[in-house]
């Protein structure tokens, strides 16, 4: 009896540890992997609830939907009722808790395929692989879409195992279809991968009635997005249409940078470093046996490689699938090892995951420099206005009104060469570079984080607060001709 329950105990331990790690990371970093996490999702929710928020051109052009901001609104309404205000950490914790389902799916799939060995190896990699760990709490659509897609594929693979062993499996396929539909809602750019997954899993289902149910459960969240767009933006699937029209047809996304076709390959080489050949050895070793997740991962990478504008987060959905296939492949190689040897392999996998954490830690540390200062100054009772004085690109790392926990405090943004001497009456705190001193503040910095410092320039604010200045200045610097001008300056720097 005890022996039979040991895998359950091990699974519970893995889930508990995974839950703890994700909660810690949700609180540890105040910034986002990229600006969209806040300005495309949390900031609109903050504006909806408080009337204060930076509304970027993407929302004015109606190329975003209200799925992610809607989740934040619901969470923040609950925290407000509890007297906690609108903490961004509450949203990150919510997604962190949901992400434990991925750890469970990895572990259960590993257990079904390779017993205790698969349970431990797949569970450890799901907990500690840096991309999965940091992606759990991210509020960007591409991260949560990647998480729901990974969960959907794991459920499909568990269902396939059940089907091969003449056990009940339809519910798992139907759940998989639903989460693939949710993936569409969170990031429509994954539609080709979603379509391929639906066709592939649908082929596994031999009963046409269940195939129909499978398709219906996929379409439920898809139709939900269309209805939500109609209610909030004025047209069915208008966010999808506008996004495709502006970015794919008009090429607006290209103004944010065009990368070479092998950009994502260079990411693995540069950022995963020594992990790259090891991970991909086991990935291709397990490609044939786990063709569905392996093919989808490769498809996502190559599909996004064909798009001019590239960012690492765009292929996040491929990363959990790569790690899943590699973990299963490695588990198959050591399946029959002893408990003592398995413990050593588990420890080795943990250490291996840590070797790859440098680029994630560096990215999040840099992304949290300004936001840490904003969180700190939000606790000062005398703050009546806050100005960000940096270059044209740094506004995205500020966190906007979402990070200003104190109510009714205006934010201001002044790029380098703007004359601020007539404006300083509107704010009494400044965040700027250590060496940048527009108010002769070199001896008045309160605290610093990385290359940025928080300064106090006066005890009070004068004049009428301008809650739209930050948004208006962002709109100015995001104009195509202005962006082109400062893209050239940025290259020189």
């Amino acid at each position: 009896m005890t022996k039979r329950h040991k895998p359950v105990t091990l699974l519970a331990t893995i889930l508990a540890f995974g839950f703890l790690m994700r909660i810690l990371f949700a609180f540890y970093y105040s910034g986002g992997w990229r600006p969209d996490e806040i300005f495309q999702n949390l900031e609109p929710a903050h504006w909806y609830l408080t009337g204060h928020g930076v509304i970027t051109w993407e929302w004015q052009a109606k190329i975003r939907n209200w799925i992610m901001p809607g989740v934040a609104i619901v969470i923040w309404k609950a925290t407000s009722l509890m007297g906690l205000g609108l903490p961004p950490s509450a949203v990150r914790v919510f997604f962190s808790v949901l992400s434990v389902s991925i750890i469970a799916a990895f572990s259960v799939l590993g257990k079904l395929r390779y017993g205790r060995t698969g349970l431990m190896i797949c569970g450890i990699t799901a907990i500690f692989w840096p991309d999965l760990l940091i992606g759990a709490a991210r509020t960007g659509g591409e991260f949560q879409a990647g998480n729901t897609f990974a969960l959907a594929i794991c459920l499909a693979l568990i269902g396939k195992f059940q089907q091969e062993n003449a056990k009940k499996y339809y519910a798992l396929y139907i759940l998989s279809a639903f989460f693939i539909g949710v993936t569409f809602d969170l990031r429509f750019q994954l539609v080709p991968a979603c379509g391929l997954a639906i066709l592939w899993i649908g082929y596994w289902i031999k009963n046409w009635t269940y195939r129909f149910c499978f398709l219906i459960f996929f379409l439920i969240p898809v139709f939900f997005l269309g209805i939500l767009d109609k209610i909030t933006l004025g047209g069915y699937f208008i966010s999808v249409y506008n996004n495709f029209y502006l970015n794919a047809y008009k090429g607006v996304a290209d103004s944010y940078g065009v990368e070479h076709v092998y950009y994502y390959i260079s990411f693995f080489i540069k950022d995963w470093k020594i992990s790259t050949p090891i991970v991909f050895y086991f990935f291709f070793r397990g490609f044939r046996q786990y063709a569905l997740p392996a093919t989808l991962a490769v498809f996502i990478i190559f599909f996004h490689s064909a798009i001019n504008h590239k960012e690492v987060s765009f292929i996040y959905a491929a990363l959990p699938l790569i790690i899943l296939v590699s973990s299963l492949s490695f588990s198959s190689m050591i399946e029959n090892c002893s408990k003592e040897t398995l413990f050593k392999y588990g420890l080795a996998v943990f250490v291996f995951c840590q070797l790859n954490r440098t680029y994630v830690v560096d990215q999040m540390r840099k992304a949290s420099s300004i936001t840490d200062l904003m969180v700190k100054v939000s606790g000062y009772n005398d703050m009546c206005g806050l100005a960000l004085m940096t270059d044209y690109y740094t506004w995205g790392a500020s966190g906007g009104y979402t990070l200003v926990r104190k109510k009714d405090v205006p934010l201001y943004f002044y790029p380098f060469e703007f004359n601020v001497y007539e404006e300083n009456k509107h704010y009494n705190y400044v965040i700027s570079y250590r060496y940048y001193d527009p108010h002769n503040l070199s001896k008045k910095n309160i605290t610093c984080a990385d290359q940025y410092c928080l300064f106090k320039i006066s005890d009070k604010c004068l004049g009428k607060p301008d809650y739209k200045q930050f948004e208006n200045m962002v709109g100015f610097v995001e104009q195509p001709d202005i962006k082109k001008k400062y893209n050239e300056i940025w290259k020189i720097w």
Side-chain angles (χ1 to χ4, degrees):
M1 181 68 70
T2 303
K3 184 177 181 180
R4 186 169 69 238
H5 280 78
K6 282 186 177 180
V8 177
T9 303
L10 179 58
L11 176 60
T13 303
I14 288 172
L15 295 181
F17 208 88
F19 172 79
L20 177 62
M21 289 296 296
R22 277 151 173 71
I23 294 299
L24 289 175
F25 268 68
F27 284 101
Y28 191 75
Y29 293 112
S30 61
W33 183 268
R34 54 193 300 261
D36 283 7
E37 286 185 44
I38 293 177
F39 286 97
Q40 303 304 332
N41 296 307
L42 298 185
E43 195 74 351
H46 192 279
W47 167 83
Y48 179 86
L49 292 172
T50 68
H52 301 321
V54 178
I55 306 302
T56 59
W57 73 267
E58 289 93 338
W59 281 96
Q60 296 169 11
K62 298 182 179 181
I63 69 171
R64 304 297 186 197
N65 67 61
W66 278 91
I67 297 285
M68 290 290 287
V71 172
I73 289 170
V74 172
I75 294 171
W76 279 343
K77 282 188 175 181
T79 56
S80 295
L81 290 174
M82 293 184 285
L84 300 176
L86 311 178
S89 57
V91 183
R92 294 195 293 267
V93 166
F94 173 79
F95 286 121
S96 296
V97 172
L98 292 183
S99 74
V100 177
S101 62
I102 299 175
I103 302 174
F106 269 52
S107 302
V108 171
L109 183 58
K111 171 65 172 63
L112 292 174
R113 289 293 180 181
Y114 306 110
R116 179 185 293 272
T117 299
L119 170 60
M120 177 175 285
I121 298 302
C122 293
I124 290 175
T125 52
I127 293 173
F128 292 107
W129 190 259
D131 299 277
L132 275 64
L133 180 56
I134 206 67
R138 300 300 96 213
T139 57
E142 57 266 59
F143 292 98
Q144 294 309 318
N147 291 338
T148 56
F149 196 57
L151 178 60
I153 301 307
C154 283
L155 290 171
L157 292 175
I158 295 172
K160 180 64 173 174
F161 178 86
Q162 297 288 87
Q163 184 179 10
E164 290 170 350
N165 289 274
K167 297 180 180 179
K168 293 181 179 180
Y169 60 92
Y170 292 124
L172 291 164
Y173 284 155
I174 287 173
L175 276 176
S176 174
F178 178 80
F179 284 115
I180 293 173
V182 173
T183 301
F184 170 90
D185 288 357
L186 295 174
R187 184 161 179 80
F188 88 92
Q189 290 88 342
L190 290 174
V191 165
C194 291
L196 178 58
I198 288 294
L199 291 174
W200 197 309
I201 301 168
Y203 176 76
W204 287 347
I205 302 173
K206 304 306 180 184
N207 184 301
W208 278 100
T209 301
Y210 284 109
R211 277 181 178 169
F212 179 75
C213 293
F214 175 78
L215 182 61
I216 290 297
F217 271 80
F218 164 69
L219 292 175
I220 287 174
V222 173
F223 288 148
F224 175 80
L225 173 62
I227 295 170
L228 182 66
D229 271 6
K230 175 64 176 178
I231 295 172
T232 57
L233 302 176
Y236 295 107
F237 297 106
I238 194 170
S239 64
V240 177
Y241 171 79
N242 287 345
N243 197 315
F244 182 83
Y245 176 76
L246 289 176
N247 289 324
Y249 182 72
K250 288 290 187 179
V252 173
D254 292 354
S255 67
Y256 289 86
V258 174
E259 300 291 345
H260 48 74
V261 71
Y262 50 88
Y263 173 81
Y264 294 118
I265 305 301
S266 65
F267 153 72
F268 290 114
I269 297 173
K270 178 173 66 73
D271 290 330
W272 280 18
K273 297 182 175 63
I274 189 62
S275 305
T276 303
I278 300 173
V279 169
F280 278 95
Y281 166 76
F282 286 105
F283 175 77
F284 287 110
R285 181 180 180 273
F287 198 106
R288 183 175 180 179
Q289 186 173 6
Y290 300 102
L292 173 61
T295 302
L296 289 172
V298 171
F299 179 78
I300 290 169
I301 293 171
F302 277 91
F303 174 78
H304 284 83
S305 295
I307 300 173
N308 290 331
H309 178 59
K310 301 176 180 67
E311 296 188 37
V312 172
S313 62
F314 291 176
I315 63 162
Y316 174 80
L319 306 187
L321 302 180
I322 292 172
I323 298 305
L324 173 66
V325 174
S326 300
S327 301
L328 290 168
S329 176
F330 180 64
S331 298
S332 71
M333 190 177 74
I334 62 170
E335 179 180 5
N336 297 317
C337 66
S338 65
K339 290 183 180 179
E340 292 74 15
T341 305
L342 176 58
F343 176 80
K344 294 177 182 178
Y345 276 126
L347 183 60
V349 169
F350 167 76
V351 173
F352 180 71
C353 290
Q354 303 315 301
L355 295 176
N356 194 47
R357 64 189 292 269
T358 304
Y359 89 94
V360 170
V361 171
D362 287 346
Q363 169 72 13
M364 292 307 300
R365 178 181 56 81
K366 293 176 182 177
S368 298
S369 298
I370 294 178
T371 55
D372 284 346
L373 295 176
M374 293 185 70
V375 171
K376 185 177 183 64
V377 74
S378 292
Y380 296 163
N381 293 326
D382 65 336
M383 183 182 68
C384 53
L386 175 66
L388 177 67
M389 297 181 184
T390 54
D391 57 58
Y392 278 75
Y393 294 88
T394 313
W395 67 268
S398 69
Y401 284 89
T402 299
L403 268 293
V404 181
R405 298 291 303 279
K406 190 176 179 182
K407 292 183 178 181
D408 299 323
V409 172
L411 292 180
Y412 301 89
F413 171 45
Y414 299 101
F416 274 146
E417 67 258 31
F418 275 78
N419 188 335
V420 298
Y421 294 104
E422 297 299 323
E423 302 288 333
N424 59 17
K425 63 183 179 180
H426 294 304
Y427 52 87
N428 63 337
Y429 283 91
V430 172
I431 293 176
S432 188
Y433 292 108
R434 291 174 182 264
Y435 58 81
Y436 188 52
D437 202 9
H439 293 298
N440 297 316
L441 304 173
S442 56
K443 296 183 180 180
K444 297 181 183 179
N445 61 303
I446 298 172
T447 186
C448 297
D450 199 31
Q451 59 181 317
Y452 304 100
C453 288
L454 173 66
F455 303 90
K456 183 176 180 179
I457 65 170
S458 66
D459 294 323
K460 58 183 179 179
C461 303
L462 302 174
K464 184 179 180 180
D466 185 356
Y467 294 99
K468 299 291 288 184
Q469 191 276 346
F470 198 112
E471 179 181 319
N472 292 337
M473 185 62 74
V474 168
F476 171 76
V477 302
E478 288 292 298
Q479 294 179 78
D481 55 335
I482 301 296
K483 284 182 67 66
K484 182 178 180 180
K485 172 184 174 182
Y486 285 97
N487 275 335
E488 297 302 320
I489 295 176
W490 183 261
K491 291 179 182 178
I492 295 173
W493 284 351

